[in-house]
Amino acid sequence: MFANGLVEETGELLQRGLAKNPTALQALGYRQIVEHLRGERPLAETIELVKIRTRQYAKRQLTWFRRQMKLDWMTLEGQTPAAVAQILKTNRNA
């Protein structure tokens, strides 16, 4: 995200009124980058903090999913889109 210009994007959004939108500032990373742009934290620290907050959010999502429904997790890494479609079709009919 940072290599693809997240800091620059956030700076442009600030110029367009991002700081006036509390909901937008709740998106992962934006609040931390705004704090960096205001001089509250160096970039390296900001990047690390965004990584930490992203992992925490992912963990909360997994916890929510486990509590809400019975799921069978699948690993589809390295599969082609056609293979994934077939796996999902087969599992849906099982």
Coordinates of all heavy atoms in Angstrom, one line a residue:
M1 N 0.8 -1.2 0.0 CA 0.0 0.0 0.0 C 0.9 1.2 0.0 O 0.6 2.2 -0.7 CB -0.9 0.0 1.2 CG -1.9 -1.1 1.2 SD -3.2 -1.2 2.6 CE -2.3 -0.6 4.0
F2 N 1.9 1.2 0.8 CA 2.8 2.4 0.9 C 3.6 2.5 -0.4 O 3.7 3.7 -0.9 CB 3.7 2.3 2.1 CG 3.0 2.5 3.4 CD1 2.4 1.5 4.1 CD2 2.9 3.8 3.9 CE1 1.7 1.8 5.3 CE2 2.3 4.1 5.1 CZ 1.7 3.1 5.8
A3 N 4.1 1.4 -1.0 CA 4.8 1.5 -2.2 C 3.9 2.0 -3.4 O 4.5 2.5 -4.3 CB 5.4 0.1 -2.5
N4 N 2.7 1.8 -3.3 CA 1.7 2.2 -4.3 C 1.2 3.6 -4.1 O 0.2 4.0 -4.8 CB 0.6 1.2 -4.5 CG 1.1 -0.1 -5.1 OD1 2.0 -0.1 -5.9 ND2 0.5 -1.2 -4.7
G5 N 1.7 4.3 -3.1 CA 1.3 5.7 -3.0 C 0.3 6.1 -2.0 O -0.4 7.1 -2.1
L6 N 0.1 5.2 -0.9 CA -0.9 5.5 0.1 C -0.7 6.8 0.8 O -1.6 7.5 1.1 CB -1.0 4.3 1.1 CG -2.1 4.4 2.1 CD1 -3.5 4.5 1.4 CD2 -2.0 3.2 3.0
V7 N 0.6 7.2 1.1 CA 0.8 8.4 1.8 C 0.4 9.6 0.9 O -0.3 10.6 1.3 CB 2.3 8.5 2.2 CG1 2.6 9.9 2.8 CG2 2.7 7.4 3.2
E8 N 0.8 9.6 -0.4 CA 0.4 10.6 -1.3 C -1.1 10.7 -1.5 O -1.7 11.8 -1.5 CB 1.1 10.4 -2.7 CG 2.6 10.5 -2.7 CD 3.3 9.3 -2.1 OE1 2.7 8.2 -1.9 OE2 4.5 9.4 -1.8
E9 N -1.7 9.6 -1.6 CA -3.2 9.5 -1.7 C -3.9 10.2 -0.5 O -4.8 11.0 -0.7 CB -3.7 8.1 -1.9 CG -5.2 7.9 -1.9 CD -5.6 6.5 -1.8 OE1 -5.0 5.6 -2.5 OE2 -6.5 6.2 -1.0
T10 N -3.4 9.9 0.6 CA -3.9 10.4 1.9 C -3.7 11.9 1.9 O -4.6 12.6 2.3 CB -3.3 9.7 3.1 OG1 -3.4 8.3 3.0 CG2 -3.9 10.2 4.4
G11 N -2.6 12.4 1.5 CA -2.3 13.8 1.4 C -3.3 14.5 0.5 O -3.8 15.6 0.9
E12 N -3.5 13.9 -0.6 CA -4.5 14.5 -1.6 C -5.9 14.5 -1.0 O -6.7 15.5 -1.1 CB -4.5 13.8 -2.9 CG -3.2 14.0 -3.7 CD -3.2 13.1 -5.0 OE1 -4.2 12.7 -5.4 OE2 -2.1 12.9 -5.5
L13 N -6.3 13.4 -0.3 CA -7.6 13.3 0.3 C -7.8 14.3 1.4 O -8.8 14.9 1.6 CB -7.9 11.9 0.8 CG -8.1 10.8 -0.3 CD1 -8.1 9.4 0.4 CD2 -9.3 11.1 -1.1
L14 N -6.7 14.6 2.2 CA -6.7 15.6 3.2 C -7.1 17.0 2.6 O -7.8 17.8 3.2 CB -5.4 15.7 4.0 CG -5.2 14.7 5.1 CD1 -3.8 14.8 5.6 CD2 -6.2 14.9 6.2
Q15 N -6.5 17.3 1.5 CA -6.7 18.5 0.8 C -8.2 18.6 0.3 O -8.7 19.7 0.2 CB -5.8 18.7 -0.4 CG -4.4 18.9 0.0 CD -3.5 19.0 -1.3 OE1 -3.9 18.8 -2.4 NE2 -2.2 19.2 -1.0
R16 N -8.8 17.5 0.1 CA -10.2 17.4 -0.3 C -11.2 17.3 0.9 O -12.4 17.1 0.6 CB -10.4 16.3 -1.3 CG -9.6 16.5 -2.6 CD -9.9 15.3 -3.5 NE -9.1 15.5 -4.7 CZ -9.2 14.7 -5.7 NH1 -10.1 13.8 -5.8 NH2 -8.4 14.9 -6.8
G17 N -10.7 17.3 2.1 CA -11.6 17.3 3.2 C -11.7 16.0 4.0 O -12.6 15.8 4.8
L18 N -10.7 15.1 3.8 CA -10.7 13.8 4.6 C -10.9 14.0 6.1 O -11.6 13.3 6.7 CB -9.5 13.0 4.2 CG -9.3 11.7 5.0 CD1 -10.3 10.7 4.5 CD2 -7.9 11.1 4.8
A19 N -10.2 15.0 6.6 CA -10.2 15.2 8.1 C -11.5 15.5 8.6 O -11.8 15.3 9.8 CB -9.2 16.3 8.4
K20 N -12.4 16.0 7.8 CA -13.8 16.4 8.2 C -14.7 15.2 8.2 O -15.9 15.3 8.6 CB -14.3 17.5 7.3 CG -13.6 18.8 7.3 CD -14.1 19.7 6.3 CE -13.2 20.9 6.3 NZ -13.4 21.8 5.2
N21 N -14.2 14.0 7.7 CA -15.1 12.8 7.6 C -14.6 11.8 8.6 O -13.7 11.0 8.3 CB -15.0 12.3 6.2 CG -16.0 11.1 6.0 OD1 -16.3 10.4 6.9 ND2 -16.4 11.0 4.7
P22 N -15.2 11.7 9.8 CA -14.7 10.8 10.8 C -14.8 9.3 10.4 O -14.0 8.5 10.8 CB -15.5 11.1 12.0 CG -16.7 11.8 11.5 CD -16.3 12.5 10.3
T23 N -15.8 9.0 9.6 CA -15.9 7.6 9.1 C -14.7 7.2 8.2 O -14.2 6.1 8.3 CB -17.2 7.4 8.3 OG1 -18.3 7.8 9.2 CG2 -17.4 6.0 7.9
A24 N -14.3 8.1 7.3 CA -13.2 7.8 6.4 C -11.9 7.6 7.2 O -11.1 6.8 6.9 CB -13.1 9.0 5.4
L25 N -11.8 8.4 8.3 CA -10.6 8.2 9.1 C -10.5 6.9 9.9 O -9.5 6.6 10.4 CB -10.4 9.4 10.1 CG -10.0 10.7 9.4 CD1 -10.0 11.8 10.5 CD2 -8.7 10.6 8.7
Q26 N -11.6 6.2 9.9 CA -11.6 4.9 10.5 C -11.1 3.8 9.6 O -10.8 2.7 10.1 CB -13.0 4.5 11.0 CG -13.5 5.4 12.1 CD -15.0 5.0 12.5 OE1 -15.5 4.0 12.0 NE2 -15.6 5.9 13.3
A27 N -10.9 4.0 8.3 CA -10.4 3.1 7.4 C -8.9 2.7 7.8 O -8.2 3.6 8.3 CB -10.4 3.6 6.0
L28 N -8.6 1.5 7.6 CA -7.2 1.0 8.0 C -6.2 1.9 7.4 O -6.1 2.1 6.2 CB -7.0 -0.4 7.5 CG -7.7 -1.5 8.4 CD1 -7.5 -2.9 7.7 CD2 -7.2 -1.5 9.8
G29 N -5.3 2.4 8.2 CA -4.2 3.2 7.8 C -4.3 4.7 7.7 O -3.4 5.4 7.9
Y30 N -5.5 5.1 7.3 CA -5.7 6.6 7.1 C -5.3 7.4 8.3 O -4.6 8.4 8.2 CB -7.1 6.9 6.5 CG -7.2 6.6 5.1 CD1 -8.2 5.7 4.7 CD2 -6.4 7.2 4.1 CE1 -8.4 5.4 3.3 CE2 -6.6 6.9 2.8 CZ -7.6 6.0 2.4 OH -7.7 5.8 1.0
R31 N -5.9 7.0 9.4 CA -5.6 7.8 10.6 C -4.1 7.9 11.0 O -3.6 9.0 11.3 CB -6.4 7.2 11.8 CG -6.1 8.0 13.1 CD -6.9 7.5 14.3 NE -8.3 7.8 14.1 CZ -9.3 7.1 14.5 NH1 -9.1 6.0 15.2 NH2 -10.5 7.4 14.2
Q32 N -3.4 6.7 10.8 CA -2.0 6.7 11.1 C -1.2 7.6 10.1 O -0.3 8.3 10.5 CB -1.5 5.3 11.1 CG -2.0 4.4 12.3 CD -3.5 4.0 12.1 OE1 -3.9 3.8 11.0 NE2 -4.2 3.8 13.2
I33 N -1.6 7.5 8.9 CA -0.9 8.3 7.9 C -1.2 9.8 8.1 O -0.3 10.6 7.9 CB -1.3 7.9 6.5 CG1 -0.8 6.4 6.2 CG2 -0.7 8.8 5.4 CD1 -1.3 5.8 5.0
V34 N -2.4 10.2 8.4 CA -2.7 11.6 8.7 C -1.8 12.0 9.9 O -1.3 13.1 9.9 CB -4.2 11.7 9.1 CG1 -4.5 13.1 9.6 CG2 -5.0 11.5 7.8
E35 N -1.7 11.2 10.9 CA -0.8 11.6 12.1 C 0.6 11.7 11.6 O 1.3 12.7 12.0 CB -0.9 10.5 13.2 CG -2.3 10.5 13.8 CD -2.5 9.2 14.7 OE1 -1.7 8.3 14.7 OE2 -3.6 9.2 15.4
H36 N 1.1 10.9 10.7 CA 2.4 11.0 10.1 C 2.5 12.3 9.4 O 3.5 13.1 9.6 CB 2.7 9.9 9.2 CG 3.9 10.1 8.3 ND1 5.2 10.2 8.7 CD2 3.9 10.3 7.0 CE1 5.9 10.5 7.7 NE2 5.2 10.6 6.6
L37 N 1.6 12.6 8.5 CA 1.6 13.9 7.8 C 1.6 15.1 8.6 O 2.1 16.2 8.2 CB 0.5 13.9 6.7 CG 0.6 12.8 5.6 CD1 -0.6 12.8 4.8 CD2 1.8 13.1 4.7
R38 N 1.0 15.0 9.8 CA 1.0 16.1 10.8 C 2.3 16.2 11.6 O 2.4 17.1 12.5 CB -0.2 16.0 11.7 CG -1.5 16.2 11.0 CD -2.7 16.0 11.9 NE -4.0 16.3 11.2 CZ -5.1 15.8 11.6 NH1 -5.2 15.1 12.8 NH2 -6.2 16.0 10.9
G39 N 3.2 15.3 11.3 CA 4.5 15.3 12.0 C 4.5 14.6 13.4 O 5.4 14.7 14.1
E40 N 3.4 13.8 13.6 CA 3.3 13.1 14.9 C 4.2 11.9 15.0 O 4.4 11.4 16.1 CB 1.9 12.8 15.3 CG 1.0 14.1 15.4 CD -0.5 13.8 15.6 OE1 -0.8 12.7 16.1 OE2 -1.3 14.6 15.2
R41 N 4.6 11.3 13.9 CA 5.3 10.0 13.9 C 6.1 9.9 12.6 O 5.6 10.3 11.5 CB 4.2 8.9 14.0 CG 4.7 7.5 13.9 CD 3.6 6.5 13.9 NE 2.6 6.7 15.0 CZ 1.4 7.2 14.8 NH1 0.9 7.4 13.6 NH2 0.5 7.3 15.8
P42 N 7.3 9.3 12.7 CA 8.1 9.1 11.4 C 7.4 8.0 10.5 O 6.6 7.2 11.0 CB 9.4 8.6 11.9 CG 9.4 8.6 13.4 CD 8.0 8.9 13.9
L43 N 7.8 8.0 9.3 CA 7.1 7.1 8.3 C 7.4 5.7 8.7 O 6.4 4.9 8.6 CB 7.7 7.4 6.9 CG 7.0 6.6 5.8 CD1 5.5 6.7 5.7 CD2 7.6 6.9 4.4
A44 N 8.6 5.3 9.1 CA 8.9 3.9 9.4 C 8.0 3.4 10.5 O 7.5 2.3 10.5 CB 10.3 3.7 9.8
E45 N 7.8 4.3 11.5 CA 6.9 3.9 12.7 C 5.5 3.8 12.2 O 4.7 2.9 12.6 CB 7.0 5.0 13.7 CG 7.5 4.5 15.1 CD 7.5 5.7 16.0 OE1 6.5 6.1 16.6 OE2 8.7 6.2 16.2
T46 N 5.1 4.7 11.3 CA 3.7 4.7 10.8 C 3.5 3.4 10.0 O 2.4 2.7 10.2 CB 3.5 5.9 9.8 OG1 3.7 7.1 10.6 CG2 2.1 5.9 9.2
I47 N 4.4 3.0 9.2 CA 4.3 1.7 8.4 C 4.1 0.5 9.4 O 3.2 -0.3 9.2 CB 5.4 1.5 7.5 CG1 5.4 2.6 6.4 CG2 5.5 0.1 6.9 CD1 6.6 2.7 5.5
E48 N 4.9 0.5 10.4 CA 4.8 -0.6 11.3 C 3.5 -0.6 12.1 O 2.9 -1.7 12.3 CB 6.0 -0.5 12.3 CG 6.1 -1.8 13.2 CD 6.3 -3.0 12.4 OE1 7.0 -3.1 11.4 OE2 5.8 -4.1 12.9
L49 N 3.0 0.6 12.5 CA 1.8 0.7 13.2 C 0.6 0.2 12.3 O -0.3 -0.5 12.7 CB 1.5 2.1 13.6 CG 0.3 2.4 14.5 CD1 0.2 1.5 15.7 CD2 0.2 3.8 14.9
V50 N 0.6 0.6 11.0 CA -0.4 0.2 10.1 C -0.4 -1.3 9.9 O -1.4 -2.0 9.9 CB -0.3 0.9 8.7 CG1 -1.2 0.3 7.7 CG2 -0.6 2.4 8.9
K51 N 0.8 -1.9 9.9 CA 0.9 -3.4 9.8 C 0.3 -4.0 11.0 O -0.5 -5.0 10.9 CB 2.4 -3.8 9.7 CG 3.0 -3.5 8.3 CD 4.4 -4.0 8.3 CE 5.2 -3.7 7.1 NZ 6.6 -4.1 7.1
I52 N 0.6 -3.5 12.2 CA 0.1 -4.1 13.4 C -1.5 -3.9 13.5 O -2.2 -4.9 13.7 CB 0.7 -3.3 14.6 CG1 2.2 -3.7 14.8 CG2 -0.1 -3.6 15.9 CD1 2.9 -2.8 15.8
R53 N -2.0 -2.8 13.1 CA -3.4 -2.5 13.2 C -4.1 -3.4 12.1 O -5.2 -3.9 12.4 CB -3.8 -1.1 12.9 CG -3.2 -0.1 14.0 CD -4.1 -0.2 15.2 NE -3.5 0.4 16.4 CZ -3.5 1.7 16.7 NH1 -4.0 2.6 15.9 NH2 -2.9 2.1 17.8
T54 N -3.5 -3.7 11.0 CA -4.1 -4.5 10.0 C -4.2 -6.0 10.5 O -5.2 -6.6 10.3 CB -3.3 -4.4 8.7 OG1 -3.3 -3.1 8.2 CG2 -3.9 -5.3 7.6
R55 N -3.1 -6.4 11.1 CA -3.1 -7.8 11.7 C -4.2 -7.9 12.8 O -4.9 -8.9 12.8 CB -1.7 -8.2 12.2 CG -0.8 -8.5 11.1 CD 0.5 -9.1 11.6 NE 1.3 -8.2 12.5 CZ 2.2 -7.4 12.1 NH1 2.6 -7.4 10.8 NH2 2.9 -6.6 12.9
Q56 N -4.3 -6.9 13.6 CA -5.3 -6.9 14.7 C -6.7 -7.0 14.1 O -7.5 -7.8 14.6 CB -5.1 -5.7 15.6 CG -3.9 -5.7 16.4 CD -3.6 -4.4 17.1 OE1 -4.1 -3.3 16.7 NE2 -2.9 -4.4 18.2
Y57 N -6.9 -6.2 13.1 CA -8.2 -6.2 12.4 C -8.6 -7.6 11.8 O -9.7 -8.1 12.0 CB -8.3 -5.1 11.3 CG -9.6 -5.0 10.7 CD1 -10.7 -4.5 11.3 CD2 -9.8 -5.4 9.3 CE1 -12.0 -4.4 10.7 CE2 -11.0 -5.3 8.7 CZ -12.1 -4.8 9.4 OH -13.3 -4.7 8.7
A58 N -7.6 -8.2 11.1 CA -7.8 -9.5 10.5 C -8.1 -10.5 11.6 O -8.9 -11.4 11.4 CB -6.5 -9.9 9.7
K59 N -7.4 -10.5 12.7 CA -7.6 -11.4 13.8 C -9.1 -11.2 14.4 O -9.7 -12.2 14.6 CB -6.6 -11.2 14.9 CG -6.7 -12.2 16.1 CD -5.7 -12.0 17.1 CE -5.9 -13.1 18.2 NZ -4.9 -12.9 19.3
R60 N -9.5 -10.0 14.5 CA -10.9 -9.8 15.0 C -11.9 -10.3 14.0 O -12.9 -10.9 14.4 CB -11.1 -8.3 15.2 CG -10.5 -7.7 16.5 CD -11.0 -6.3 16.8 NE -10.9 -5.4 15.8 CZ -9.9 -4.6 15.5 NH1 -8.8 -4.7 16.3 NH2 -9.9 -3.7 14.5
Q61 N -11.6 -10.2 12.7 CA -12.5 -10.7 11.7 C -12.6 -12.2 11.8 O -13.7 -12.8 11.8 CB -12.1 -10.3 10.3 CG -12.3 -8.9 9.9 CD -11.9 -8.6 8.5 OE1 -10.8 -9.0 8.1 NE2 -12.7 -8.0 7.7
L62 N -11.5 -12.9 11.9 CA -11.5 -14.4 12.1 C -12.2 -14.8 13.3 O -13.0 -15.8 13.3 CB -10.0 -14.9 12.1 CG -9.3 -14.8 10.8 CD1 -7.8 -15.2 11.0 CD2 -9.9 -15.7 9.7
T63 N -12.0 -14.1 14.4 CA -12.7 -14.4 15.6 C -14.2 -14.3 15.4 O -15.0 -15.1 15.8 CB -12.3 -13.5 16.8 OG1 -10.9 -13.7 17.0 CG2 -13.0 -13.8 18.1
W64 N -14.7 -13.2 14.8 CA -16.1 -13.0 14.5 C -16.6 -14.1 13.6 O -17.7 -14.6 13.9 CB -16.3 -11.6 13.8 CG -17.7 -11.3 13.6 CD1 -18.5 -10.7 14.4 CD2 -18.5 -11.6 12.4 NE1 -19.8 -10.6 13.9 CE2 -19.8 -11.1 12.6 CE3 -18.2 -12.2 11.2 CZ2 -20.8 -11.3 11.7 CZ3 -19.2 -12.4 10.3 CH2 -20.5 -11.9 10.5
F65 N -15.9 -14.5 12.6 CA -16.4 -15.5 11.7 C -16.5 -16.8 12.5 O -17.5 -17.6 12.3 CB -15.5 -15.8 10.5 CG -15.7 -14.8 9.4 CD1 -14.8 -13.9 9.0 CD2 -16.9 -14.9 8.7 CE1 -15.0 -13.1 7.9 CE2 -17.2 -14.0 7.6 CZ -16.2 -13.1 7.2
R66 N -15.6 -17.2 13.3 CA -15.6 -18.4 14.1 C -16.8 -18.5 15.0 O -17.4 -19.5 15.2 CB -14.3 -18.6 14.8 CG -13.2 -19.2 14.0 CD -12.1 -19.7 14.9 NE -11.4 -18.6 15.6 CZ -10.4 -17.9 15.1 NH1 -9.9 -18.2 13.9 NH2 -9.8 -16.9 15.8
R67 N -17.2 -17.3 15.6 CA -18.3 -17.3 16.5 C -19.6 -17.2 15.8 O -20.6 -17.6 16.4 CB -18.1 -16.0 17.4 CG -17.0 -16.2 18.4 CD -16.9 -15.0 19.3 NE -15.8 -15.2 20.2 CZ -15.3 -14.2 21.0 NH1 -15.8 -13.0 20.9 NH2 -14.3 -14.5 21.8
Q68 N -19.7 -16.7 14.6 CA -21.0 -16.5 13.9 C -21.5 -17.7 13.2 O -22.6 -17.9 13.0 CB -20.9 -15.3 13.0 CG -20.6 -14.0 13.6 CD -21.7 -13.6 14.6 OE1 -22.9 -13.8 14.3 NE2 -21.4 -13.2 15.8
M69 N -20.5 -18.5 12.6 CA -21.0 -19.6 11.7 C -19.9 -20.7 11.7 O -18.8 -20.5 12.0 CB -21.2 -19.0 10.3 CG -20.0 -18.2 9.8 SD -20.4 -17.3 8.3 CE -21.1 -15.8 9.0
K70 N -20.4 -21.9 11.4 CA -19.5 -23.0 11.2 C -18.9 -22.9 9.8 O -19.7 -23.0 8.8 CB -20.3 -24.3 11.4 CG -19.4 -25.5 11.3 CD -20.2 -26.8 11.4 CE -19.3 -28.0 11.3 NZ -18.3 -28.0 10.3
L71 N -17.6 -22.8 9.8 CA -17.0 -22.6 8.5 C -16.0 -23.7 8.3 O -15.4 -24.2 9.2 CB -16.2 -21.3 8.4 CG -17.1 -20.0 8.5 CD1 -16.2 -18.8 8.6 CD2 -18.0 -19.9 7.4
D72 N -15.8 -24.1 7.0 CA -14.8 -25.0 6.6 C -13.8 -24.2 5.8 O -14.1 -23.8 4.7 CB -15.3 -26.2 5.8 CG -16.2 -27.1 6.6 OD1 -15.8 -27.4 7.8 OD2 -17.2 -27.6 6.1
W73 N -12.6 -23.9 6.4 CA -11.6 -23.1 5.7 C -10.9 -23.9 4.6 O -10.6 -25.1 4.8 CB -10.6 -22.5 6.7 CG -11.3 -21.5 7.6 CD1 -11.7 -21.8 8.9 CD2 -11.6 -20.2 7.4 NE1 -12.3 -20.7 9.4 CE2 -12.2 -19.7 8.5 CE3 -11.4 -19.3 6.3 CZ2 -12.6 -18.3 8.6 CZ3 -11.8 -18.0 6.4 CH2 -12.4 -17.5 7.6
M74 N -10.6 -23.3 3.5 CA -9.9 -23.9 2.4 C -8.7 -23.1 2.1 O -8.7 -21.9 2.1 CB -10.8 -24.0 1.2 CG -12.0 -24.9 1.3 SD -12.8 -24.9 -0.3 CE -14.3 -24.0 0.1
T75 N -7.6 -23.8 1.7 CA -6.5 -23.1 1.2 C -6.5 -23.2 -0.3 O -6.5 -24.3 -0.9 CB -5.2 -23.8 1.7 OG1 -5.2 -23.6 3.2 CG2 -3.9 -23.0 1.2
L76 N -6.6 -22.1 -1.0 CA -6.7 -22.1 -2.5 C -5.4 -21.5 -3.1 O -5.4 -21.2 -4.3 CB -7.9 -21.3 -2.9 CG -9.2 -21.9 -2.3 CD1 -10.4 -21.0 -2.7 CD2 -9.5 -23.3 -2.8
E77 N -4.4 -21.2 -2.3 CA -3.2 -20.6 -2.8 C -2.6 -21.4 -3.9 O -2.5 -22.6 -3.9 CB -2.2 -20.5 -1.7 CG -1.0 -19.7 -2.0 CD -0.1 -19.5 -0.8 OE1 -0.6 -19.4 0.3 OE2 1.1 -19.4 -1.0
G78 N -2.2 -20.7 -5.0 CA -1.6 -21.4 -6.1 C -2.5 -22.0 -7.1 O -2.1 -22.6 -8.1
Q79 N -3.8 -22.0 -6.8 CA -4.8 -22.5 -7.7 C -5.2 -21.5 -8.8 O -5.2 -20.3 -8.6 CB -6.1 -22.9 -7.0 CG -5.9 -23.9 -5.9 CD -5.6 -25.3 -6.4 OE1 -6.0 -25.7 -7.5 NE2 -5.0 -26.1 -5.6
T80 N -5.5 -22.1 -10.0 CA -6.0 -21.2 -11.1 C -7.4 -20.8 -10.8 O -8.1 -21.5 -10.0 CB -5.9 -21.9 -12.4 OG1 -6.9 -23.0 -12.4 CG2 -4.5 -22.4 -12.8
P81 N -7.9 -19.7 -11.4 CA -9.3 -19.4 -11.2 C -10.3 -20.5 -11.5 O -11.3 -20.7 -10.8 CB -9.5 -18.2 -12.1 CG -8.2 -17.5 -12.1 CD -7.2 -18.7 -12.1
A82 N -10.0 -21.2 -12.6 CA -10.9 -22.3 -13.0 C -10.9 -23.4 -12.0 O -11.9 -24.0 -11.7 CB -10.4 -22.9 -14.4
A83 N -9.7 -23.7 -11.4 CA -9.6 -24.8 -10.4 C -10.3 -24.3 -9.1 O -11.0 -25.2 -8.5 CB -8.1 -25.1 -10.1
V84 N -10.2 -23.1 -8.7 CA -11.0 -22.6 -7.6 C -12.5 -22.7 -7.8 O -13.2 -23.1 -6.9 CB -10.6 -21.1 -7.3 CG1 -11.5 -20.5 -6.2 CG2 -9.1 -21.0 -6.8
A85 N -12.9 -22.3 -9.0 CA -14.3 -22.4 -9.3 C -14.8 -23.9 -9.2 O -15.9 -24.1 -8.6 CB -14.6 -21.9 -10.7
Q86 N -14.0 -24.8 -9.7 CA -14.4 -26.2 -9.6 C -14.4 -26.7 -8.1 O -15.3 -27.4 -7.7 CB -13.4 -27.1 -10.4 CG -13.8 -28.5 -10.5 CD -15.2 -28.8 -11.1 OE1 -15.6 -28.1 -12.1 NE2 -16.0 -29.6 -10.5
I87 N -13.4 -26.3 -7.3 CA -13.4 -26.7 -5.9 C -14.6 -26.2 -5.2 O -15.3 -26.9 -4.5 CB -12.1 -26.2 -5.3 CG1 -10.9 -26.9 -5.8 CG2 -12.2 -26.3 -3.7 CD1 -9.5 -26.3 -5.5
L88 N -14.9 -24.9 -5.4 CA -16.1 -24.3 -4.8 C -17.4 -24.9 -5.2 O -18.3 -25.2 -4.4 CB -16.1 -22.8 -5.1 CG -15.0 -22.0 -4.4 CD1 -15.1 -20.5 -4.9 CD2 -15.0 -22.1 -2.9
K89 N -17.5 -25.2 -6.5 CA -18.7 -25.9 -7.0 C -18.9 -27.3 -6.4 O -19.9 -27.7 -5.9 CB -18.6 -26.0 -8.5 CG -19.8 -26.7 -9.2 CD -19.7 -26.7 -10.7 CE -20.9 -27.4 -11.3 NZ -20.7 -27.6 -12.7
T90 N -17.8 -28.0 -6.3 CA -17.8 -29.4 -5.7 C -18.2 -29.3 -4.2 O -19.0 -30.1 -3.8 CB -16.4 -30.0 -5.9 OG1 -16.1 -30.1 -7.3 CG2 -16.4 -31.4 -5.3
N91 N -17.6 -28.4 -3.5 CA -17.9 -28.2 -2.1 C -19.3 -27.7 -1.8 O -19.9 -28.1 -0.8 CB -16.8 -27.3 -1.4 CG -15.5 -28.0 -1.2 OD1 -15.5 -29.2 -0.9 ND2 -14.4 -27.3 -1.3
R92 N -19.8 -26.9 -2.6 CA -21.2 -26.4 -2.5 C -22.2 -27.5 -2.6 O -23.2 -27.6 -1.9 CB -21.5 -25.3 -3.5 CG -22.8 -24.7 -3.3 CD -23.1 -23.6 -4.2 NE -22.4 -23.8 -5.5 CZ -22.6 -23.1 -6.6 NH1 -23.4 -22.0 -6.5 NH2 -22.0 -23.3 -7.7
N93 N -21.9 -28.5 -3.5 CA -22.8 -29.6 -3.7 C -22.6 -30.7 -2.8 O -23.4 -31.7 -2.8 CB -22.7 -30.1 -5.2 CG -23.1 -29.0 -6.2 OD1 -23.9 -28.2 -5.9 ND2 -22.4 -29.0 -7.3
A94 N -21.6 -30.7 -1.9 CA -21.3 -31.8 -1.0 C -22.2 -31.8 0.2 O -22.9 -30.9 0.5 CB -19.9 -31.7 -0.5

